[in-house]
């Protein structure tokens, strides 16, 4: 691997003044649909590229926020965040579903406090290390408590090879304090550190790798329930506080 060098890239994201300092993002259709349904999001911009990413605006208690549905996977998610946050946006609140590595009930909120960097994108933004700290975890945890929402806290395993989540890898991650698996948060934290943005994230457990066999639960047919609705509201309320 080429040694990490802290210098600007040859290509830089477009500087966009979106008229807001905080962005909310999620990954699944059903979670983004909850944002649209409750807050009446209106599209006002689009991030061009191989996959266009629409950007939406909405207002809560006089605070203007922007939202977008992030592509899945670290490289695409980081590319979208770079473009959205390449101007006025300074804080990002991201929430989405994850896999459980520990004995955690389905649809339980998880606050990751650090992420194992088993993907490639973060290494372009931060020197090599096994874990990256999730700097906003305490803020997220206190916010969820204030919302009356139960959660579990622990490490996340961020991987871009979800069909290579082998038993030995899973056992290693559990032994190192990981209770959930996702595909983006290590990279999103790395780019936020590099650019000087604040990053806040939490998950909702979907499938489980904790038992002898994979339990898909609702991962193959996701849909919104009370937990998803509450999670969307909690993300927006946190974003409003950060304005």
């Amino acid at each position: 691997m080429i040694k990490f060098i802290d210098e600007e890239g040859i290509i830089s994201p477009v500087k966009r003044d979106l008229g807001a300092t905080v962005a909310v993002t999620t990954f699944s259709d059903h979670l983004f649909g909850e944002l649209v349904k409750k807050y009446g999001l209106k599209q006002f911009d689009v991030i061009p590229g191989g996959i266009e990413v629409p950007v939406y605006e909405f207002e809560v208690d006089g605070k203007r926020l922007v939202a977008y549905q992030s592509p899945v996977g670290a490289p695409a998610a980081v590319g979208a965040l770079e473009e959205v946050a390449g101007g006025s946006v300074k804080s990002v609140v991201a929430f989405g579903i994850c896999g459980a590595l520990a004995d955690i009930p389905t649809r339980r909120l998880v606050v990751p406090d650090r992420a194992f960097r088993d993907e490639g994108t973060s290494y372009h933004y931060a020197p090599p290390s096994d874990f990256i700290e999730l700097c906003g975890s305490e803020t997220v945890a206190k916010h969820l408590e204030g919302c009356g929402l139960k959660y579990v806290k622990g490490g996340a395993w961020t991987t871009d090879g979800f069909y290579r989540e082998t038993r030995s890898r899973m056992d290693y991650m559990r032994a190192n304090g990981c209770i959930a698996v996702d595909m983006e948060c290590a990279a999103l934290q790395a780019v936020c550190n590099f650019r000087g943005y604040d990053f806040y994230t939490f998950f909702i457990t979907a499938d489980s790798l904790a038992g002898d066999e994979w339990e898909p639960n609702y991962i193959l047919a996701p849909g919104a329930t009370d937990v998803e609705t509450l999670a969307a509201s909690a993300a927006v309320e946190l974003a409003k506080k950060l304005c």
Side-chain angles (χ1 to χ4, degrees):
M1 180 177 289
I2 298 174
K3 183 180 179 180
F4 172 77
I5 302 173
D6 187 2
E7 66 180 358
E8 285 301 314
I10 298 170
I11 303 171
S12 298
V14 175
K15 297 293 185 182
R16 290 180 171 84
D17 185 357
L18 299 180
T21 59
V22 185
V24 179
T25 189
T26 189
F27 305 87
S28 302
D29 289 340
H30 73 289
L31 291 175
F32 195 75
E34 286 298 294
L35 293 176
V36 173
K37 181 173 67 175
K38 181 162 186 178
Y39 298 101
L41 277 57
K42 295 180 181 179
Q43 182 180 339
F44 76 104
D45 201 353
V46 63
I47 304 301
I51 300 176
E52 292 188 342
V53 179
V55 182
Y56 297 79
E57 61 182 346
F58 64 110
E59 192 171 290
V60 181
D61 297 335
K63 303 291 183 67
R64 187 174 187 275
L65 302 168
V66 296
Y68 68 99
Q69 184 172 351
S70 176
V72 173
V78 163
L81 186 149
E82 282 270 43
E83 291 290 342
V84 171
S88 58
V89 171
K90 299 303 178 187
S91 299
V92 178
V93 178
F95 69 107
I97 59 176
C98 71
L101 300 183
D103 187 16
I104 304 172
T106 303
R107 287 190 164 96
R108 176 60 59 87
L109 299 184
V110 172
V111 178
D113 55 12
R114 61 179 186 154
F116 191 91
R117 300 166 63 188
D118 194 19
E119 38 67 53
T121 308
S122 67
Y123 292 89
H124 296 278
Y125 291 89
S129 63
D130 288 342
F131 282 91
I132 188 167
E133 298 298 316
L134 276 298
C135 305
S137 62
E138 282 298 317
T139 298
V140 174
K142 290 179 181 178
H143 173 68
L144 294 180
E145 289 173 7
C147 294
L149 299 176
K150 295 181 179 180
Y151 66 90
V152 290
K153 194 174 182 182
W157 168 23
T158 301
T159 177
D160 52 14
F162 59 91
Y163 285 122
R164 296 300 299 146
E165 294 172 355
T166 63
R167 181 61 52 186
S168 59
R169 283 175 179 264
M170 193 275 289
D171 289 341
Y172 177 83
M173 297 302 168
R174 285 180 60 169
N176 281 274
C178 292
I179 62 173
V181 58
D182 83 301
M183 297 180 65
E184 299 89 12
C185 79
L188 293 177
Q189 182 67 68
V191 68
C192 285
N193 288 352
F194 186 80
R195 297 295 186 194
Y197 308 142
D198 295 322
F199 181 61
Y200 307 88
T201 190
F202 63 94
F203 308 139
I204 308 164
T205 54
D207 60 325
S208 177
L209 288 73
D212 294 333
E213 300 290 337
W214 176 55
E215 298 176 19
N217 299 323
Y218 73 99
I219 192 80
L220 301 179
T225 64
D226 289 346
V227 172
E228 279 78 10
T229 300
L230 290 170
S233 296
V236 170
E237 287 300 309
L238 176 57
K240 185 180 71 174
K241 289 181 180 179
L242 299 171
C243 288

